[in-house]
Amino acid sequence: MNNITLAPVQTDQPSHLMPVFGRQPISFVRGRGSYLYTEDGTEYLDALTGIAVCGLGHSHPAVTEAIAEQAATLMHTSNIFEVPWQTAAAQKLAEVSGMEEIFFSNSGAESNEGAIKIARKFGHMQGINTPKIIVADHSFHGRTLATLSATGNKKVQEGFAPLVEGFIRVPFGDIEAIEEAAIQHPDIVAILVEPIQGEGGVNTAPQGFSYLEKIRQICNQHNWLMMLDEVQTGNGRTGKYFAYQHTSIIPDVLTTAKGLGNGFPIGAVMTQGRGVGVLTAGNHGSTYSGTALGSRVVYTVIDTLQKENLVENAANMGSYIVDRLTQQLADQNISVRGFGLMIGIELPKACGELVNVARDEYHLIINVTAGSVIRLLPPLNINQQQADQLIERLVKMIKDYLA
């Protein structure tokens, strides 16, 4: 703990923070690997990692070193100049994704904004004046005006009308609904979906990832852009670098963020195929796009995931956790689902209160989404001993809750 500066202790003064977050009554002052620590040193097993952000765990030495060294060298110059680390990071990301063009943004929502702009520009290039994008029920794409309009959650949209137009909503996994929309709306130019709906309850389509293959076929048939939101599922989370790599297809537009920076705020929108060349000089931009600091973090995260075989570890540990939970909770009327280390445990009743129970009684950090789904997003470098701790605490907590 020597030479580490902790945040000042909070006082009883009123907060000047805008009250947009429902915060839990706890704060952490440091983290290491799979664990978080309060000011008094109490240890918590983190199975949420900032909502799928810290895939390398907390304070990974490679990321820490890269940030410290780059911050002491050069943080930002603007994109009016060449940024060598940005070029290197884009090369790394292209290698693991199979995409051709990459624009670095500052968040997942901004990445999805970029995808929406690509779709609209693509449509106008085809002579379509009111281009429309198919999106799915129960999706989550962000909280900017365009991305919350695309999101399939009325609670997120409430109070922000008029929403951005140009989105056609269909049930997630319903290919027939997509085909029907194609007949009714000749101005459709793209489909935007998540391979797995994280906020929606860790949902895969009923037909699994073959859903993506069928979407690819439809997009090819109609000259649409296939756009995948892999903000949460990307960067090794599902046991492949990107979730679509569980199939043989590749999208035209791909977005990601969260685990891309391991806590540093950065995202990306990527194109290949029909998406290449749509955005040109003056069409898009951002002051902080691909700074030297952010780009070096991205390069380091990808390099570390590769060197430490963490995508493979995510696949193996995810299967281990799902199998053990399924076996040990077989008599509890629950379902355990997911890919890699993106896992949902659906209980037969609402269980939002388990967030507090897990934290206070089991020193375990989780969250609950879609009312009754415990969502697990542990670090990709979790080991078996830590996985066993997670399983033991979850099983006891769930059995007690459902007793």
Side-chain angles (χ1 to χ4, degrees):
M1 292 291 289
N2 292 337
N3 301 321
I4 296 178
T5 302
L6 301 178
V9 176
Q10 298 296 309
T11 68
D12 58 359
Q13 296 297 311
S15 173
H16 294 282
L17 294 172
M18 196 172 289
V20 296
F21 296 108
R23 299 185 189 272
Q24 297 180 31
I26 192 171
S27 62
F28 301 104
V29 297
R30 65 185 181 93
R32 178 68 63 182
S34 297
Y35 299 96
L36 289 168
Y37 300 86
T38 56
E39 190 174 19
D40 65 3
T42 303
E43 181 182 87
Y44 293 77
L45 179 59
D46 186 4
L48 187 60
T49 58
I51 314 179
V53 168
C54 298
L56 302 180
H58 300 286
S59 304
H60 191 286
V63 177
T64 300
E65 181 181 358
I67 290 175
E69 185 174 302
Q70 193 61 40
T73 304
L74 181 67
M75 292 177 66
H76 174 70
T77 59
S78 163
N79 282 289
I80 62 175
F81 308 108
E82 295 292 334
V83 184
W85 275 113
Q86 184 183 132
T87 302
Q91 178 64 33
K92 274 281 193 187
L93 194 50
E95 289 172 0
V96 296
S97 68
M99 305 302 281
E100 186 174 336
E101 292 181 338
I102 294 168
F103 175 88
F104 287 108
S105 60
N106 304 293
S107 68
E110 287 186 34
S111 298
N112 286 331
E113 283 273 346
I116 292 166
K117 287 182 68 175
I118 290 169
R120 289 194 169 190
K121 177 80 182 301
F122 177 79
H124 283 281
M125 290 167 65
Q126 316 304 313
I128 299 172
N129 294 324
T130 56
K132 293 183 173 60
I133 301 169
I134 293 178
V135 292
D137 289 336
H138 308 298
S139 60
F140 183 85
H141 298 294
R143 293 181 182 273
T144 62
L145 269 177
T147 57
L148 72 82
S149 298
T151 291
N153 183 331
K154 291 191 179 300
K155 183 177 179 181
V156 170
Q157 298 169 342
E158 188 175 348
F160 297 107
L163 300 178
V164 175
E165 297 180 349
F167 298 103
I168 298 169
R169 203 167 309 283
V170 300
F172 183 58
D174 192 335
I175 293 297
E176 290 184 2
I178 295 173
E179 293 173 334
E180 182 65 27
I183 296 171
Q184 295 181 2
H185 302 276
D187 47 4
I188 292 172
V189 298
I191 298 178
L192 173 64
V193 294
E194 303 157 276
I196 302 173
Q197 294 185 326
E199 299 297 325
V202 193
N203 296 323
T204 55
Q207 61 272 57
F209 285 133
S210 66
Y211 174 56
L212 301 183
E213 295 171 339
K214 292 176 181 177
I215 288 177
R216 177 73 276 178
Q217 292 172 4
I218 292 172
C219 288
N220 291 345
Q221 177 184 348
H222 295 283
N223 191 36
W224 297 346
L225 294 176
M226 180 181 184
M227 309 199 302
L228 293 184
D229 175 348
E230 294 225 30
V231 170
Q232 187 168 152
T233 56
N235 307 292
R237 176 55 55 186
T238 71
K240 295 287 186 180
Y241 203 94
F242 288 100
Y244 73 82
Q245 292 167 339
H246 288 282
T247 75
S248 60
I249 63 97
I250 186 168
D252 298 301
V253 182
L254 173 67
T255 64
T256 195
K258 288 190 181 287
L260 186 63
N262 208 62
F264 188 93
I266 193 163
V269 55
M270 299 165 267
T271 62
Q272 72 86 39
R274 293 186 184 90
V276 171
V278 174
L279 295 184
T280 58
N283 287 162
H284 199 48
S286 170
T287 298
Y288 296 112
S289 174
T291 64
L293 179 59
S295 297
R296 183 163 179 183
V297 171
V298 168
Y299 183 96
T300 302
V301 168
I302 298 173
D303 189 55
T304 303
L305 287 168
Q306 292 174 320
K307 287 179 177 177
E308 298 185 6
N309 296 317
L310 296 185
V311 178
E312 181 180 357
N313 188 69
N316 294 336
M317 285 294 97
S319 293
Y320 178 79
I321 291 169
V322 169
D323 288 347
R324 294 302 185 277
L325 287 174
T326 301
Q327 292 168 9
Q328 296 183 35
L329 294 170
D331 59 346
Q332 298 298 313
N333 191 28
I334 67 160
S335 67
V336 185
R337 57 179 178 262
F339 283 82
L341 288 169
M342 185 175 183
I343 300 168
I345 309 168
E346 184 166 9
L347 274 59
K349 63 179 182 179
C351 60
E353 63 195 86
L354 287 183
V355 171
N356 294 336
V357 173
R359 183 192 66 237
D360 296 341
E361 297 183 23
Y362 296 90
H363 288 185
L364 175 63
I365 304 301
I366 60 169
N367 90 325
V368 170
T369 188
S372 60
V373 180
I374 297 173
R375 180 169 49 166
L376 305 178
L377 301 162
L380 306 188
N381 51 7
I382 190 172
N383 59 38
Q384 187 169 324
Q385 180 183 5
Q386 294 161 351
D388 286 336
Q389 289 181 16
L390 173 60
I391 293 163
E392 180 182 0
R393 297 180 197 187
L394 282 169
V395 168
K396 187 175 188 313
M397 179 183 71
I398 292 170
K399 285 186 174 181
D400 286 348
Y401 183 68
L402 296 179

